[in-house]
Structures are given as C-alpha cells and as structure tokens.
Amino acid sequence: RDQYAFSNISGKGQNIRALFELIDAVAESDANILIQGENGTGKELVARAIHRNSQRAAGPFIEVNCAAIPTELIESELFGHMKGSFTGAVSDRSGKFELADGGTLFLDEIGELPPTLQAQLLRVVQEHQYKRVGSNTWQHTEFRLVCATNRDLLACVADGRFRSDLYHRISGWVCRVPPLRERPEDILPLASHFLEQLNPRSEPVAVDRAVQEYLLTRDYPGNVRDLRQLVTRI
C-alpha cells in the first residue's frame, strides 16, 4: 500500500497484487479504462487509485452513478443545461463533462445507460466536445474517462443492449476486480483493516480464533462491502 499509495485497497494475495500492478501500469497513460467486477468489490477505490497515480492527479475526480440518476435527468447531469431549456431549469448549469475538465470522469454502472445516451456519450468520448441541453454551442473538455460495471458488457453488446463502438472506445484497458471468494487470504487482513478504521484511537483489537474461523467460512455475496458491514456489526 505504501509503494502504490492505493488509498483503502487492502490485500496481499496474488490476485490483488496483480490488480495493483495493472493499476500501476495503466495509471500514467491517458487511455480510457473499464473496470469490471461484482458489486462490493471496490471498483470506485480502483478508479480513485488510477486517478491519484495519474498525470491528472491534481485535477478533479468527478463521479457519476449512471444507475442512480433518473433517465429524464441524466442528459442534463452529464452535459449541463441552459436556463429555460426545460421546466425547472431556472439557471445555467454545468454538467459532469465540464466539471471533469483537466481531471478524471468516473462513470459508475455505465451498463445502465439508455441507448440514446450511449450515442451521445460516444461523440464526447471520441471528440471531447458536447452541447449543453438547450444550447447550440459546442464546448470542449479534456478528461480521462474511467468506467465501471458489474455487467458483462460484451454479452450486452452481443444482445444489442450496449453499443459495440462505445464499448471499444471505453475499454482501452480492462481492469477486473476479483470477488472476495477468489482472494480468501485477504479476508482476515481486511477484517483487521476495518477494525482499525472503526477504532482509530484504540489499541489494536485481537480477533479471537473462533471469530477468525467464522469470518473465513462465511459467504460474502456483497464481497468486501459485505465483510465490512459484518465487522461493523461484530
């Protein structure tokens, strides 16, 4: 962790070390990156680690959860809008692409974008130009795009739910974040890490052997997030 300064990504197993090495290799390039992994594996932490180890580290890190924004508002959220362009637009508003200028734009759950927005996103990714909703003026932005998804985007491309040209634009590098079941050697170190976070001013807490055995034999459908919630309850 000291070598790579990877925020709160913890682990010592072969799978996570391979991920560290990949992050280290791709961070300084300006290629678009697609992060794939199940829910709770830490895709946002990987995106932040890429940004912090990149040439754009001094710039902004702008995050958008594509699954959390209503379909009718996501265009305005991404591209911004002009005053009076729709009901409720009482003033001009900057979008995420504008705010990410000089930094990194992280589109989480990109597989949830509707097809119409996929086409608009493709143009911005290709040409780094966009129009605010209600404007006829093209604006330029320079950003590094990092996307994440828990979907198999190639399968979505095959059945027509995701544009193939957009997929190839966003996947200059592909980082797969392994689920916790593929890195059982990291369960106890992660548990100790979360205990330190939860008790920052106390002495280190020793984990009883029976608790260790329980942690090692339990299933974690929510992956690292699930483990953290369990440690919090304990």
Side-chain angles (χ1 to χ4, degrees), residues 44-89:
E44 179 191 348
L45 292 179
V46 173
R48 290 184 179 275
I50 290 170
H51 172 71
R52 290 174 182 174
N53 286 272
S54 73
Q55 298 175 2
R56 298 176 179 268
F61 179 87
I62 304 298
E63 179 181 358
V64 182
N65 187 332
C66 299
I69 305 172
T71 303
E72 63 272 14
L73 296 179
I74 195 166
E75 184 178 6
S76 171
E77 187 74 17
L78 292 176
F79 305 116
H81 62 251
M82 304 300 292
K83 179 180 178 180
S85 56
F86 56 86
T87 302

Side-chain angles (χ1 to χ4, degrees), residues 13-43:
Q14 182 178 354
N15 284 335
I16 204 68
R17 285 179 180 271
L19 179 63
F20 286 161
E21 291 172 2
L22 181 58
I23 293 172
D24 189 48
V26 305
E28 292 189 4
S29 78
D30 220 23
N32 297 328
I33 296 176
L34 176 62
I35 304 169
Q36 294 182 316
E38 297 176 8
N39 287 334
T41 51
K43 296 187 291 295

Side-chain angles (χ1 to χ4, degrees), residues 133-147:
V133 177
S135 173
N136 293 319
T137 303
W138 289 103
Q139 298 191 54
H140 186 78
T141 179
E142 283 297 332
F143 59 90
R144 202 263 184 89
L145 183 64
V146 179
C147 300

